[in-house]
Amino acid sequence: MDLEAKRNKEIEIIELMIKIYCKKNDDINEEELINYCTNKIQKCPMMETKTFCSQCPVHCYQKDMREKIKKVMRYSGPRLIFHHPILCIKHYLLEAK
Ligand code: SF4
């Protein structure tokens, strides 16, 4: 997968995970978090070598945003398989590498 495809795929996954979270929870501003994460992924200096942000040694997220995305990941990670099984399998394969 080329770099831009990888970047776009990651944006697609993060957006989906935030939407899954926000469908059932109202403590996070969906649009704000999607924009924030998309912006970070678009500027990510680790894109070539990284798997996912949770594995990153840089951690460019602000503390409060990091807390929000961690909450989203914990909630939506296990639920992703019902919404998008293929993306989910790829996500876990990448994380496992
Ligand atoms: S946390 Fe790391 S991998 Fe994630 S966007 Fe920031 S620099 Fe890139």
Side-chain angles (χ1 to χ4, degrees), residues 33-67:
L33 190 58
I34 288 176
N35 288 341
Y36 184 87
C37 295
T38 301
N39 191 37
K40 290 292 180 192
I41 294 166
Q42 277 166 346
K43 293 179 183 160
C44 177
M46 310 289 287
M47 190 52 67
E48 211 158 343
T49 53
K50 75 183 284 250
T51 53
F52 278 84
C53 296
S54 55
Q55 311 284 327
C56 175
V58 175
H59 285 304
C60 67
Y61 281 48
Q62 279 170 12
K63 195 169 181 283
D64 60 328
M65 289 304 201
R66 201 168 150 196
E67 289 309 313

Side-chain angles (χ1 to χ4, degrees), residues 12-96:
E12 187 187 340
I13 294 172
I14 203 86
E15 194 174 327
L16 180 63
M17 292 181 92
I18 294 168
K19 284 182 174 166
I20 291 170
Y21 181 90
C22 290
K23 214 170 172 185
K24 297 280 181 192
N25 302 279
D26 58 6
D27 60 333
I28 285 176
N29 181 322
E30 179 180 323
E31 201 183 326
E32 180 193 38
L33 190 58
I34 288 176
N35 288 341
Y36 184 87
C37 295
T38 301
N39 191 37
K40 290 292 180 192
I41 294 166
Q42 277 166 346
K43 293 179 183 160
C44 177
M46 310 289 287
M47 190 52 67
E48 211 158 343
T49 53
K50 75 183 284 250
T51 53
F52 278 84
C53 296
S54 55
Q55 311 284 327
C56 175
V58 175
H59 285 304
C60 67
Y61 281 48
Q62 279 170 12
K63 195 169 181 283
D64 60 328
M65 289 304 201
R66 201 168 150 196
E67 289 309 313
K68 286 179 189 174
I69 200 64
K70 273 165 75 178
K71 218 172 175 182
V72 167
M73 293 287 174
R74 272 198 302 272
Y75 181 86
S76 300
R79 289 167 175 85
L80 196 59
I81 194 150
F82 298 111
H83 291 260
H84 210 315
I86 300 297
L87 268 184
C88 182
I89 289 161
K90 283 182 182 164
H91 176 92
Y92 285 109
L93 283 179
L94 272 175
E95 283 230 63

